[in-house]
Amino acid sequence: MSTLRFHAIKESLSFKPLQIQEKERRSDIFGKNVFNENTMRQYLTKDAFESVLNAIQYGKKIDRNMADQVASSMKDWALSKGVTHYTHWFQPLTGATAEKHDAFFETIGGGMAIEKFGGSQLVQQEPDASSFPSGGIRNTFEARGYTAWDPTSPAFVYGTTLCIPTIFVAYTGEALDYKTPLLRALNAVDNAATDVCKYFDKNVKKVTSSLGWEQEYFLIDKLLAASRPDIILTGRTLLGHSSAKGQQLDDHYFGAIPTRAFNFMRELETECMLLGIPVKTRHNEVAPNQFELAPIFEEANLAVDHNSLLMDIMGRVASRHNLKVLLHEKPFAGINGSGKHNNWSLSTDTGVNLLSPGKTPMSNLQFLTFFVNTIKAVHENESILRAAIASASNDHRLGANEAPPAIISVFIGEQLTKVLEELEGVTKGKLSPEEKTELKLNVIGKIPDVLLDNTDRNRTSPFAFTGNKFEFRAVGSMANCGNPMTVLNTIVAKQLKDFKVEVDALIEKKGLKKDEAVFNVLREYIKSCRNILFEGNGYGKAWEEEAKRRGLSNNKTTPEALKAKVSKEAISLFEEMNVMSKIETEARYEIEMEAYIMHIQIESRVIGDIARNHIVPTAVKYQNILIENVKGLKEIFDKNFTSVSKEQINLIEEISGHIEAINAKVTKMIDERRKANAISSVEDRALNYCNKVKPFFEDIRYHCDKLELLVDDEIWPLTKYRELLFTR
């Protein structure tokens, strides 16, 4: 292994960065490989084009005749780009994307063949679903599952394949993917928000949820990564002593982008442009070899698809640059992990961002309505929102370094807090003309000025208002955004639905005017959700104790957090909003628990293997070198050898102590793993892996990392942190 390590370092240092030539403007190539609206206008008949547009905008069904026309045109377009195959591209509950390629090629007899692609192939396929997670919805031997075309997300060409975004459902109709519940949640928030918008603008017919994700990641040399079994098998380093220099000088953040990384980014961005992914921002992040890219906001469903596609593309492009992308939330101990901030907002078909103040008191009251209802939604469902970001990998990040804590709270800044405090004082019932004037001119009328001056940023807040959107910062870098976006849009939809019921009741039963009713309901909401608002430091025991007093959950581990997903409240919420059935919700709980168990189990096996088969033999080898040295000193100095060999003997003893501890702890860890595997209940098994198996990781790591400092660097088998993080 030490030979492999030094060979990898030598090859890495000799690699010459690929030169990237960008001959065309980004605007000229944007969406070139996407069957988007512009392309459809060129290839579809007028009727087919309008049919697809109605499906996208209003959810209307496309009949089979029109589907045949769309398929034929899509095939012609794809063939003009050298495409040979098509695939239904979907997002099963594995966390990755899935695709099965079929050729357009069909034989027609007489030794002849044609390219064929019809509406039936476009609209629905039946892949083998037996090996995808189902959470007990169907038996393994029942392989039937269906993919169905999602016309709201345009087809695209990648390589020589036409990729058609689809949903994935079981034979019995239950969702087996991230996209299906997301589309239902987006429909729910559209209906609920549109109804509320009509208080302020009767012309609003549709409300769209938008998402702008910020993808953080690490880039390391591919050969160095290949020399680390833990990175290859788990996506993170399970062992390794911290580098003397890490991120303490803050010299990487926003610094000059290293050449290899820069060339990788340029090629990646070109690929994104061709696929219609509107990436805009790139920069160094805080930790060495950590970076970020972010796109322009898009409709949430499309944004989720684009992020899933991006994560696939990143790995392929990186490989061409002899690099490896690490999307794990905590690939290196002692430095920042990676997240994927989800910037979320709602916009109307009249062009209004509902989370951005306007120029009139009425538009500002509309802003406050959606602003306060979002806060209320988070307050009522904070544990469910926490469950949406739970994973084995994100557990390492939440609460560490720059990341937000596992406690969900909302940050709105000092100035907006004052605005809400003033609204708490609104008179109950009908408002006097003087109070209305005061509210409109001196409270909600000043909101745009408040936001201009509200420069507070709280990096420890998991859910923060940042001027015209809410930023959900606790989402992990490996996550499919569909999960948190499904939950967020569902809870906001439910809250807006309840809000309308309450406002209508005050108007109809109490005789209040519309704005009076809105003020009255918002006042009570503000009072009831004070506990979720937090402006302070989210780290440490002080906030944990304060959060406990406020009644906020603090689920630090995935097995704890996921319980909220199958609570009576969660099941009722998803059923009421027609997002997920009880069966679907419980299946996802089981799938995510099993995924947690598998991740910890794999890491346990890997750390045990590396510790016993790589670290201990290397330590013994170095010990033998020291023993030979002591023997030599004894021959030379005879009786006086103890004074000149004291340090070597101490070192031999110290190494023996670490070897003994490693072997003992690996043995105990394996025993606990066997006990956990024998538990039938998925919940109890996950808790055992969390509380009985996982704690051994740090103990084993401690002794291995100590040996890294003691053993001769020339024979140490694992590529070290300084080499992984500072080889560029």
Side-chain angles (χ1 to χ4, degrees):
M1 281 295 289
S2 60
T3 304
L4 176 60
R5 171 190 163 205
F6 288 114
H7 174 74
I9 294 169
K10 181 181 177 182
E11 290 295 314
S12 172
L13 293 173
S14 64
F15 182 79
K16 293 181 180 179
L18 294 182
Q19 297 303 310
I20 304 301
Q21 300 295 326
E22 295 179 89
K23 297 178 181 179
E24 297 179 86
R25 289 185 180 181
R26 298 287 174 89
S27 57
D28 291 336
I29 64 171
F30 182 72
K32 201 172 181 179
N33 289 343
V34 182
F35 198 68
N36 52 27
E37 186 174 328
N38 184 49
T39 305
M40 285 192 291
R41 285 184 189 276
Q42 298 174 44
Y43 280 84
L44 296 181
T45 64
K46 183 181 178 183
D47 289 345
F49 176 75
E50 288 178 354
S51 180
V52 175
L53 221 56
N54 285 331
I56 294 169
Q57 294 176 351
Y58 307 112
K60 293 185 178 179
K61 289 186 177 180
I62 299 173
D63 66 40
R64 185 50 58 94
N65 181 47
M66 287 299 171
D68 283 334
Q69 290 186 41
V70 174
S72 178
S73 299
M74 198 181 283
K75 179 199 70 178
D76 291 342
W77 169 75
L79 291 175
S80 74
K81 293 186 168 292
V83 167
T84 59
H85 289 67
Y86 66 91
T87 181
H88 274 201
W89 183 83
F90 58 102
Q91 300 164 46
L93 299 173
T94 56
T97 59
E99 51 196 64
K100 183 185 75 170
H101 297 197
D102 287 302
F104 288 128
F105 174 86
E106 290 282 352
T107 57
I108 57 173
M112 294 185 292
I114 59 171
E115 274 75 31
K116 185 179 178 182
F117 182 61
S120 58
Q121 286 88 14
L122 169 64
V123 172
Q124 183 175 303
Q125 293 280 293
E126 187 181 328
D128 182 346
S130 61
S131 294
F132 289 114
S134 70
I137 286 177
R138 46 140 184 70
N139 294 317
T140 301
F141 62 84
E142 295 171 327
R144 294 178 74 180
Y146 295 111
T147 51
W149 177 34
D150 171 20
T152 64
S153 185
F156 57 91
V157 167
Y158 192 67
T160 58
T161 305
L162 172 66
C163 301
I164 302 157
T166 58
I167 63 169
F168 180 45
V169 296
Y171 172 68
T172 46
E174 289 88 2
L176 295 174
D177 65 347
Y178 289 108
K179 182 185 275 282
T180 305
L182 175 63
L183 290 173
R184 295 170 184 165
L186 295 177
N187 182 61
V189 82
D190 173 17
N191 293 334
T194 300
D195 287 345
V196 172
C197 279
K198 291 189 183 297
Y199 287 139
F200 310 98
D201 183 355
K202 298 288 186 184
N203 296 316
V204 173
K205 295 179 181 177
K206 185 175 179 61
V207 171
T208 301
S209 171
S210 62
L211 167 65
W213 39 262
E214 302 170 27
Q215 181 69 59
E216 294 178 342
Y217 61 98
F218 281 82
L219 266 184
I220 62 172
D221 185 87
K222 184 168 71 172
L223 293 174
L224 297 184
S227 71
R228 294 276 315 212
D230 47 0
I231 291 178
I232 296 302
L233 295 174
T234 71
R236 75 180 183 105
T237 56
L238 297 171
L239 304 171
H241 198 279
S242 299
S243 169
K245 179 188 176 185
Q247 64 187 45
Q248 61 267 51
L249 296 179
D250 294 326
D251 56 348
H252 191 257
Y253 190 55
F254 279 25
I257 300 172
T259 303
R260 281 174 73 188
F262 183 62
N263 288 344
F264 156 79
M265 290 177 183
R266 290 173 66 195
E267 185 178 355
L268 175 64
E269 288 167 3
T270 298
E271 294 272 7
C272 288
M273 288 296 112
L274 291 168
L275 292 165
I277 305 173
V279 291
K280 187 174 179 68
T281 303
R282 64 189 181 204
H283 63 84
N284 289 2
E285 259 298 336
V286 174
N289 276 355
Q290 186 187 30
F291 307 93
E292 179 184 300
L293 85 161
I296 297 169
F297 280 57
E298 298 180 281
E299 184 274 326
N301 177 45
L302 183 58
V304 170
D305 281 0
H306 278 167
N307 182 251
S308 297
L309 178 58
L310 173 97
M311 291 191 286
D312 286 344
I313 298 168
M314 288 174 81
R316 299 181 190 187
V317 174
S319 186
R320 294 198 286 267
H321 291 260
N322 214 38
L323 294 168
K324 184 173 178 62
V325 172
L326 300 183
L327 292 171
H328 194 285
E329 284 81 356
K330 200 73 176 176
F332 300 100
I335 57 175
N336 280 9
S338 298
K340 180 152 43 195
H341 297 186
N342 279 207
N343 296 279
W344 171 88
S345 188
L346 295 171
S347 300
T348 68
D349 57 349
T350 58
V352 175
N353 179 352
L354 296 172
L355 290 174
S356 181
K359 297 179 180 179
T360 66
M362 184 56 73
S363 62
N364 282 339
L365 183 56
Q366 178 176 263
F367 157 72
L368 277 174
T369 295
F370 284 90
F371 177 69
V372 172
N373 272 281
T374 302
I375 296 170
K376 173 77 168 169
V378 175
H379 177 263
E380 298 301 313
N381 301 280
E382 45 90 14
S383 62
I384 301 174
L385 201 58
R386 166 67 180 95
I389 54 163
S391 69
S393 53
N394 210 21
D395 282 357
H396 294 287
R397 169 179 167 264
L398 294 179
N401 288 298
E402 183 253 356
I407 303 165
I408 299 295
S409 65
V410 178
F411 170 82
I412 62 173
E414 184 181 346
Q415 298 302 320
L416 279 171
T417 300
K418 289 179 180 178
V419 170
L420 297 191
E421 287 171 352
E422 291 190 57
L423 287 173
E424 279 191 57
V426 170
T427 301
K428 189 173 183 179
K430 293 187 177 181
L431 308 181
S432 67
E434 293 79 14
E435 187 172 9
K436 279 189 180 182
T437 302
E438 171 68 18
L439 280 171
K440 289 179 179 179
L441 292 180
N442 296 324
V443 181
I444 64 174
K446 288 185 176 180
I447 286 173
D449 295 332
V450 165
L451 289 181
L452 284 173
D453 296 333
N454 186 23
T455 55
D456 291 4
R457 293 300 298 272
N458 186 334
R459 303 305 297 177
T460 64
S461 174
F463 198 86
F465 184 71
T466 55
N468 59 1
K469 61 189 183 300
F470 278 97
E471 186 176 1
F472 192 12
R473 295 181 181 139
V475 182
S477 53
M478 286 178 68
N480 183 305
C481 298
N483 206 8
M485 282 297 102
T486 295
V487 173
L488 180 56
N489 283 286
T490 301
I491 65 176
V492 171
K494 163 66 173 165
Q495 181 53 51
L496 290 171
K497 181 183 174 184
D498 292 347
F499 171 78
K500 188 173 188 303
V501 170
E502 292 184 51
V503 170
D504 286 350
L506 290 178
I507 294 171
E508 294 165 10
K509 297 178 182 178
K510 301 289 184 180
L512 270 62
K513 293 182 178 178
K514 179 177 64 182
D515 55 351
E516 291 174 332
V518 169
F519 275 127
N520 270 265
V521 175
L522 291 182
R523 180 195 63 235
E524 296 307 309
Y525 283 180
I526 293 165
K527 288 180 180 178
S528 68
C529 59
R530 285 178 186 159
N531 285 344
I532 201 73
L533 299 175
F534 181 62
E535 310 295 309
N537 187 342
Y539 297 143
K541 289 289 182 185
W543 168 229
E544 289 185 15
E545 291 170 3
E546 173 63 21
K548 187 176 181 180
R549 283 194 294 271
R550 294 184 181 200
L552 302 178
S553 63
N554 183 15
N555 297 319
K556 294 183 178 182
T557 67
T558 292
E560 290 177 280
L562 286 178
K563 290 178 184 178
K565 183 163 278 192
V566 286
S567 63
K568 289 182 180 178
E569 295 78 11
I571 291 170
S572 174
L573 165 73
F574 291 123
E575 285 189 321
E576 180 185 342
M577 302 313 296
N578 294 315
V579 172
M580 285 188 286
S581 67
K582 184 172 186 280
I583 291 173
E584 288 171 320
T585 303
E586 290 176 341
R588 277 158 203 270
Y589 169 76
E590 185 169 324
I591 289 167
E592 289 174 32
M593 280 293 215
E594 285 284 4
Y596 178 85
I597 292 166
M598 291 300 113
H599 277 96
I600 303 302
Q601 185 185 85
I602 290 167
E603 290 190 349
S604 170
R605 287 173 173 169
V606 172
I607 198 170
D609 172 55
I610 296 175
R612 278 188 166 166
N613 297 335
H614 297 75
I615 304 302
V616 169
T618 302
V620 170
K621 184 177 181 180
Y622 184 56
Q623 219 178 20
N624 289 335
I625 293 171
L626 292 173
I627 290 168
E628 289 301 316
N629 177 259
V630 171
K631 287 179 179 178
L633 291 173
K634 186 175 182 181
E635 288 180 10
I636 296 170
F637 294 98
D638 197 17
K639 294 180 181 179
N640 297 322
F641 90 98
T642 52
S643 61
V644 295
S645 62
K646 180 174 65 177
E647 293 301 324
Q648 290 91 324
I649 292 171
N650 289 341
L651 194 52
I652 291 168
E653 291 177 350
E654 189 174 353
I655 290 171
S656 291
H658 290 304
I659 291 171
E660 182 183 359
I662 290 168
N663 279 322
K665 291 182 184 300
V666 168
T667 298
K668 289 178 181 177
M669 178 182 70
I670 293 170
D671 288 341
E672 290 297 339
R673 199 167 69 216
R674 285 176 180 147
K675 291 176 185 176
N677 290 339
I679 298 171
S680 58
S681 162
V682 68
E683 182 177 316
D684 292 340
R685 191 160 70 251
L687 286 168
N688 266 264
Y689 263 99
C690 179
N691 300 323
K692 300 289 182 67
V693 178
K694 188 181 171 186
F696 282 104
F697 293 5
E698 284 305 309
D699 292 341
I700 295 166
R701 179 174 194 148
Y702 171 81
H703 293 285
C704 290
D705 290 356
K706 285 296 182 183
L707 286 174
E708 182 181 329
L709 295 179
L710 299 176
V711 172
D712 183 0
D713 183 67
E714 287 292 320
I715 63 171
W716 188 254
L718 300 180
T719 304
K720 297 187 175 183
Y721 267 34
R722 66 169 183 267
E723 295 151 357
L724 291 166
L725 294 171
F726 292 96
T727 301
R728 296 173 181 171

